[in-house]
Amino acid sequence: VVFAYIGAVIFPLTGIYFIVNSMPYATILFIIGALCYGTFLIKSLLEVSNSKNERANKTLWILGLIFMGSLVGLIYILSGRKRFVQNT
């Protein structure tokens, strides 16, 4: 999950750098970044939904990951993931 999130951040940023400097393969980097983000989103949603935490807590995390994925994803990795992984 952590590596997928890091890839979802680094690959698109590198793609932007490639576009600005007119370098090839920027599209490929964006596609890899999108795949990493999709992987992160699916795996984190599965972790949250399979945990034994309260239903309201799980619902808030799921809604946050779906609607504000990048910001809530960073918060999830830095603070919330430990609680969900321990409660599976």
Side-chain angles (χ1 to χ4, degrees):
V1 173
V2 175
F3 292 116
Y5 183 79
I6 292 171
V9 172
I10 289 177
F11 284 114
L13 289 177
T14 308
I16 291 170
Y17 176 79
F18 275 38
I19 286 175
V20 168
N21 292 315
S22 301
M23 299 170 74
Y25 307 113
T27 307
I28 294 172
L29 291 172
F30 281 119
I31 291 170
I32 293 171
L35 291 173
C36 287
Y37 182 72
T39 302
F40 163 74
L41 194 60
I42 290 169
K43 291 183 84 106
S44 60
L45 289 173
L46 287 174
E47 279 183 358
V48 170
S49 64
N50 290 334
S51 73
K52 295 178 183 174
N53 286 330
E54 297 175 11
R55 183 177 173 96
N57 194 11
K58 291 195 298 188
T59 304
L60 289 175
W61 277 106
I62 289 171
L63 289 174
L65 284 168
I66 291 172
F67 291 112
M68 297 186 307
S70 298
L71 177 64
V72 175
L74 181 63
I75 295 169
Y76 175 72
I77 287 176
L78 294 177
S79 65
R81 185 167 188 261
K82 293 176 188 174
R83 289 181 288 170
F84 285 105
V85 172
Q86 290 173 353
N87 290 330
T88 46

